[in-house]
Amino acid sequence: MADPFILQPRGTESPHGASVPIPPAPLRIDPAFGMLAEHCADDAVTDLFVNGDGGLFLDRGEGAEPVSAWRASEREVRDLAVALVGLGGRHLDDQSPCVDVRLDSGIRVHAVLAPVAASGTAISIRIPRVRAADLDALAALGCFDARMQRWLTSLVHERANLLITGGTGTGKTTLLSALLSEAADSERLVTIEDVAELRPRHPHHVALEARQANLEGAGGISLARLVRESLRMRPDRLIVGECRGEEIRELLTALNTGHDGGAGTLHASGLTDVPARLEALGALAGMDATALARQTVSAFSTVLHLVRDPGGTRRIAQAGVFALADDRLTVEEVRPW
């Protein structure tokens, strides 16, 4: 039986017409991972957490589990964090104690130095277990059924603007990558992320990534600025990988001025919580609730909300559309498939 959360790519056609599975390419583990390398190479592991000298925890799809044999001092954990962040071209020190990076292998590393991390330097590592995932692969793993898959495909082909919501680790980026893979080859996709993770199977994909300021505090490039810059790149589809702050204003403006087929993702615990989350982001961008509501209703066609079941399966639990109620944003659940 297929693993409930590790995706396999669609097979290719053999000369005789039979489908031949494509084995996933081995993950490149840099020597800088040191004692973590063996756990990163474990195909079942999606996340690793190092909590200073307090221990190592692994997530194999059923929650974090401690590794009893792990031993490391705070000095060793700090050195490991600095080395891993350096692999991603960023710096981790007392002036920049919290850093998020994506390595060339696709592994994502987030590190927080002590004493900001009160119990010791904390390292969170996300291992990409998706190999060119598409909608067929997600359907096979229970993310949605065949009727919903046909509806999702039609949304992409009709160039609907989509907002994908859910908690951490529910598969928002994975689903968005799969949806973008359905876009026509003639379209130009521009994705904007704090840490570039979107990897759609598409021949014309341009990825923009925010940049950390240097040691003098200069040179930083925000998501909001990247959204503005992307409008000059003639995108056919403009995508913000995760809305966290003022970039929501730029994204809403773009989606309301002729940029159809766009998308974004948003952290939310439930579909009914999405309006409040958007209002909070709008406030960071200087937008009042009324302006945010009117912009959102006209910007996004559909909201897709993902959950992660106790067994590890990630699935679309709800879909909705935005509406206005006394000039405030609401969301109504729908089942159009």
Side-chain angles (χ1 to χ4, degrees):
M1 186 175 75
D3 187 282
F5 56 91
I6 297 177
L7 307 185
Q8 300 297 329
R10 181 187 297 168
T12 57
E13 293 296 317
S14 72
H16 304 291
S19 178
V20 179
I22 305 172
L27 194 66
R28 301 189 307 277
I29 308 298
D30 192 278
F33 279 86
M35 296 178 288
L36 297 180
E38 63 175 295
H39 301 295
C40 293
D42 184 342
D43 286 341
V45 174
T46 59
D47 296 89
L48 298 89
F49 310 103
V50 183
N51 304 329
D53 60 3
L56 168 67
F57 293 78
L58 306 179
D59 190 344
R60 292 185 171 89
E62 297 182 356
E65 303 171 356
V67 179
S68 58
W70 170 263
R71 296 290 184 275
S73 67
E74 165 60 21
R75 180 76 258 178
E76 289 173 318
V77 175
R78 182 185 176 104
D79 290 345
L80 175 62
V82 171
L84 293 179
V85 168
L87 287 180
R90 297 188 177 183
H91 55 271
L92 181 70
D93 52 32
D94 291 337
Q95 299 299 315
S96 302
C98 308
V99 179
D100 198 18
V101 297
R102 179 189 56 83
L103 309 184
D104 289 342
S105 60
I107 294 175
R108 182 169 177 171
V109 178
H110 182 271
V112 183
L113 293 180
V116 176
S119 59
T121 298
I123 307 174
S124 306
I125 300 172
R126 172 69 57 88
I127 308 294
R129 297 305 182 190
V130 177
R131 305 292 190 262
D134 54 27
L135 293 181
D136 288 340
L138 291 177
L141 295 178
C143 187
F144 39 76
D145 59 22
R147 288 187 301 171
M148 186 182 289
Q149 181 177 352
R150 290 192 293 271
W151 174 65
L152 293 172
T153 301
S154 70
L155 289 177
V156 178
H157 293 170
E158 293 166 5
R159 300 181 55 78
N161 292 331
L162 305 176
L163 182 64
I164 300 175
T165 66
T168 300
T170 53
K172 298 184 295 297
T173 299
T174 300
L175 175 60
L176 182 51
S177 287
L179 290 169
L180 293 176
S181 298
E182 297 292 324
D185 289 354
S186 59
E187 295 181 339
R188 174 176 169 86
L189 313 183
V190 179
T191 61
I192 299 162
E193 298 174 271
D194 186 47
V195 175
E197 291 185 290
L198 285 166
R199 296 187 174 187
R201 181 188 294 171
H202 195 276
H204 198 167
H205 170 218
V206 179
L208 303 181
E209 184 177 70
R211 189 172 72 183
Q212 177 187 17
N214 61 22
L215 292 174
E216 289 73 39
I221 305 293
S222 68
L223 291 179
R225 178 178 172 183
L226 287 178
V227 174
R228 294 192 297 270
E229 296 294 336
S230 71
L231 298 178
R232 302 179 178 91
M233 300 172 66
R234 215 228 72 183
D236 291 303
R237 293 180 186 262
L238 176 62
I239 299 97
V240 176
E242 185 175 331
C243 296
R244 294 174 179 265
E246 61 176 343
E247 66 276 359
I248 189 67
R249 177 184 56 213
E250 276 69 23
L251 178 60
L252 290 174
T253 299
L255 298 183
N256 275 298
T257 53
H259 291 275
D260 296 329
T265 69
L266 180 76
H267 277 276
S269 57
L271 190 65
T272 56
D273 297 323
V274 174
R277 286 283 295 124
L278 285 170
E279 287 184 0
L281 296 185
L284 294 175
M287 302 176 69
D288 61 34
T290 299
L292 182 283
R294 292 177 178 176
Q295 289 275 327
T296 301
V297 167
S298 58
F300 289 110
S301 307
T302 304
V303 189
L304 304 174
H305 186 74
L306 290 158
V307 299
R308 178 178 174 179
D309 292 334
T313 300
R314 291 132 166 107
R315 61 183 178 85
I316 296 178
Q318 295 172 291
V321 295
F322 288 115
L324 290 175
D326 297 325
D327 276 341
R328 294 295 295 272
L329 185 64
T330 64
V331 63
E332 301 172 355
E333 185 173 1
V334 296
R335 292 182 61 86
W337 53 88

PDB file of all heavy atoms in Angstrom, residues 90 116 218:
ATOM      1  N   ARG A  90      22.670  32.129   3.587  1.00  0.00           N
ATOM      2  CA  ARG A  90      22.283  33.136   4.564  1.00  0.00           C
ATOM      3  C   ARG A  90      23.167  33.015   5.798  1.00  0.00           C
ATOM      4  O   ARG A  90      23.941  32.060   5.936  1.00  0.00           O
ATOM      5  CB  ARG A  90      20.799  33.006   4.927  1.00  0.00           C
ATOM      6  CG  ARG A  90      19.875  33.255   3.737  1.00  0.00           C
ATOM      7  CD  ARG A  90      18.412  33.316   4.126  1.00  0.00           C
ATOM      8  NE  ARG A  90      17.580  33.614   2.963  1.00  0.00           N
ATOM      9  CZ  ARG A  90      16.270  33.794   3.001  1.00  0.00           C
ATOM     10  NH1 ARG A  90      15.614  33.701   4.143  1.00  0.00           N
ATOM     11  NH2 ARG A  90      15.588  34.067   1.907  1.00  0.00           N
ATOM     12  N   VAL A 116      17.390  33.410  22.269  1.00  0.00           N
ATOM     13  CA  VAL A 116      16.039  33.604  21.735  1.00  0.00           C
ATOM     14  C   VAL A 116      15.252  32.300  21.874  1.00  0.00           C
ATOM     15  O   VAL A 116      14.077  32.298  22.260  1.00  0.00           O
ATOM     16  CB  VAL A 116      16.103  34.072  20.263  1.00  0.00           C
ATOM     17  CG1 VAL A 116      14.705  34.187  19.684  1.00  0.00           C
ATOM     18  CG2 VAL A 116      16.830  35.407  20.164  1.00  0.00           C
ATOM     19  N   ALA A 218      21.068  46.198   5.493  1.00  0.00           N
ATOM     20  CA  ALA A 218      20.682  46.679   4.162  1.00  0.00           C
ATOM     21  C   ALA A 218      20.564  45.502   3.192  1.00  0.00           C
ATOM     22  O   ALA A 218      21.082  44.414   3.434  1.00  0.00           O
ATOM     23  CB  ALA A 218      21.706  47.682   3.650  1.00  0.00           C
TER      24      ALA A 218
END
